[in-house]
Amino acid sequence: MDSIKVVVAGPRGRMGREAVILAEETSHFELAGVLDRKNGGEKLNEIAEGFSSSAPIYTDLKECLFETKADVLIDLTTPETGMLHAKTALEMGVRPVVGTTGFTEDNLKELQELSEAKGLGVIIAPNFAVGAVLMMKFSQMAAKYFPDIEIIEQHHDQKLDAPSGTGVKTAEMISAVREEKKQGHPNEKETLAGARGASYNGIRIHSVRLPGLVAHQEVLFGGEGQTLKIRHDSYDRKSFMSGVKLSCEQVMKLDTLVYGLENIIE
């Protein structure tokens, strides 16, 4: 496989650090540079412990992508930053792989139009853990037979968005095969606002935020005399890196935007 030159945005963040290690340890990846808010002009292994790479640090994305001649930008930061970085990368001929949740339909449409105009691939994934993607696909299969569904997603208490991108994406995938319906008693009333969670086409989504959690989701299905539970747990951020690696490889073959890892796994 040809070598892929990657740039990682946010190398000192929890997810960015894992992406840097992935690039260092993957034989056909070359860590061409990293984008950070500070330490411009320094070398990565000089400012952060645990890194072997001497990749240069940049504070300006355009300068970084121009000088490194990168193939792929890995961005695991925030929705606002991820959107800006993805647009800039495409405009400079670099393929973005973005793992930030919170993109709107308008954001995705804008990026798709730009990617197709440039003939460059983009992959945006609410969750890069292969097990989580399988959980979503299995849930979509089950929804054809169990239309009464509730989603409980659990994340660390520093997560900004609720529900999670994975929770929303799961509900979207289920809704593609399930007619909208109101669940529960037809006259049910919340005696405490929010007790029944958010509603997506009648699917209830509940968000839990606690220290000690990483990323966890359970999809519950109810039927006459039976229930079904499909659950995935990420205990370590390393669980997301197999999907990041796959995305960097696959985005080189694309000329449009792909939203969701389930669209590139066989």
Side-chain angles (χ1 to χ4, degrees):
M1 183 176 291
D2 293 338
S3 178
I4 300 173
K5 298 178 70 173
V6 303
V7 164
V8 175
R12 292 179 296 110
R14 288 172 292 187
M15 287 287 285
R17 172 175 286 271
E18 294 296 336
V20 167
I21 294 172
L22 171 71
E24 290 177 334
E25 295 180 347
T26 302
S27 60
H28 56 283
F29 283 8
E30 177 189 343
L31 184 63
V34 297
L35 181 71
D36 199 1
R37 294 191 305 272
K38 57 184 182 179
N39 302 310
E42 302 289 335
K43 301 294 185 182
L44 184 60
N45 58 359
E46 295 174 349
I47 62 95
E49 295 183 2
F51 295 138
S52 61
S53 174
S54 59
I57 301 172
Y58 295 86
T59 55
D60 182 86
L61 180 58
K62 289 185 177 180
E63 179 186 4
C64 174
L65 298 180
F66 177 77
E67 292 191 0
T68 61
K69 296 178 171 57
D71 298 308
V72 175
L73 169 67
I74 301 174
D75 188 288
L76 308 170
T77 57
T78 65
E80 296 79 9
T81 301
M83 180 64 184
L84 177 61
H85 285 178
K87 287 177 60 178
T88 302
L90 286 170
E91 289 165 353
M92 297 192 66
V94 178
R95 292 168 164 84
V97 169
V98 184
T100 305
T101 62
F103 280 82
T104 66
E105 289 186 8
D106 287 342
N107 292 154
L108 295 174
K109 182 180 179 182
E110 182 179 355
L111 289 177
Q112 181 173 1
E113 290 175 351
L114 182 56
S115 70
E116 292 178 354
K118 295 288 186 178
L120 296 171
V122 182
I123 293 178
I124 298 175
N127 197 318
F128 277 115
V130 173
V133 175
L134 292 173
M135 174 265 297
M136 290 188 276
K137 291 176 74 73
F138 296 157
S139 296
Q140 186 182 50
M141 293 170 60
K144 296 178 182 179
Y145 307 97
F146 291 88
D148 289 274
I149 305 161
E150 304 225 358
I151 298 170
I152 303 174
E153 56 92 354
Q154 305 177 353
H155 286 79
H156 55 88
D157 61 342
Q158 298 304 302
K159 185 170 179 58
L160 297 176
D161 56 327
S164 68
T166 300
V168 173
K169 181 66 173 177
T170 304
E172 290 175 349
M173 291 174 63
I174 288 171
S175 294
V177 300
R178 167 191 178 273
E179 291 186 7
E180 182 174 354
K181 67 169 292 188
K182 178 176 172 58
Q183 297 179 171
H185 193 283
N187 297 320
E188 75 176 7
K189 180 180 179 181
E190 289 181 334
T191 57
L192 186 61
R196 290 290 288 122
S199 177
Y200 187 101
N201 290 341
I203 302 166
R204 292 293 180 173
I205 307 178
H206 309 267
S207 297
V208 177
R209 299 291 178 265
L210 288 171
L213 297 172
V214 178
H216 318 262
Q217 182 168 293
E218 186 171 50
V219 187
L220 293 82
F221 301 85
E224 291 296 327
Q226 61 180 321
T227 60
L228 172 66
K229 299 178 183 179
I230 301 175
R231 182 181 176 95
H232 176 262
D233 297 277
S234 282
Y235 300 107
D236 191 291
R237 288 171 178 82
K238 292 183 185 297
S239 66
F240 305 116
M241 292 304 110
S242 59
V244 174
K245 177 176 178 292
L246 176 63
S247 295
C248 289
E249 295 165 347
Q250 293 299 312
V251 77
M252 298 297 296
K253 307 173 185 178
L254 300 173
D255 57 6
T256 188
L257 179 144
V258 170
Y259 179 61
L261 201 62
E262 72 278 1
N263 295 304
I264 63 170
I265 65 173
E266 298 180 355

